[in-house]
């Protein structure tokens, strides 16, 4: 059973930075891509970023490209999301996600495992 646990959320002022972490367990972490999604109040969940199994390939939503960086440490079974130049519109619950299949790229509807989420609030 794949388990994902996020941490690192909090309250930050606009222009600030946060780093989210996701601890994964339950299968061979280094064989699968990983992703981050977010859901703001009253809105649908949206894709933020994804990283391939090796970390050599990444993809970002246009709204965060150039500000957020996704990375992973396969030795520690961890994936990270470094968020810089945060804006109030980045306020959301952020979720770590993993696909069932080992492939790249991963379509945003191919993620089957989800963490419980961590709240990020950016004040203006």
């Amino acid at each position: 059973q794949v388990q994902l646990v996020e941490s690192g959320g909090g309250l930050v002022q606009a222009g600030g930075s946060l780093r989210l972490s996701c601890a994964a367990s339950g299968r061979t972490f280094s064989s699968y891509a990983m992703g981050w999604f977010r859901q703001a109040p009253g809105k649908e969940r949206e894709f933020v970023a994804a990283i391939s199994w090796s970390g050599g390939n990444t993809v970002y939503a246009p709204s965060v490209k150039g500000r957020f960086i996704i990375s992973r440490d396969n030795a520690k079974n961890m994936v990270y999301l470094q968020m810089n130049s945060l804006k109030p519109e980045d306020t959301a619950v952020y979720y770590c996600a993993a696909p069932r299949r080992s492939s790249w790229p991963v379509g945003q509807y191919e993620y089957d495992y989800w963490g419980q989420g961590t709240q990020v609030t950016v004040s203006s």
Side-chain angles (χ1 to χ4, degrees):
Q1 181 74 10
V2 176
Q3 291 189 325
L4 304 172
V5 180
E6 303 96 335
S7 61
L11 173 64
V12 63
Q13 288 188 332
S17 298
L18 278 176
R19 188 175 86 150
L20 305 183
S21 299
C22 173
S25 62
R27 66 180 183 183
T28 305
F29 176 76
S30 59
S31 297
Y32 297 86
M34 295 291 294
W36 285 97
F37 289 72
R38 67 185 182 186
Q39 187 168 19
K43 295 187 177 181
E44 293 187 355
R45 187 167 57 195
E46 65 174 357
F47 170 80
V48 175
I51 187 166
S52 62
W53 65 271
S54 68
N57 294 287
T58 57
V59 61
Y60 297 92
S63 59
V64 307
K65 194 171 184 179
R67 299 189 297 123
F68 291 11
I69 301 172
I70 187 171
S71 62
R72 65 190 296 161
D73 184 337
N74 286 343
K76 297 181 178 179
N77 287 4
M78 297 290 294
V79 62
Y80 307 99
L81 186 67
Q82 177 68 42
M83 305 186 295
N84 302 317
S85 302
L86 283 161
K87 304 175 181 180
E89 51 263 44
D90 294 318
T91 295
V93 176
Y94 283 71
Y95 297 91
C96 176
R100 183 177 299 275
R101 295 185 300 115
S102 175
S103 62
W104 181 264
V106 180
Q108 62 177 306
Y109 299 108
E110 296 181 68
Y111 289 87
D112 297 290
Y113 305 104
W114 299 85
Q116 83 287 350
T118 185
Q119 176 71 46
V120 172
T121 303
V122 184
S123 63
S124 57

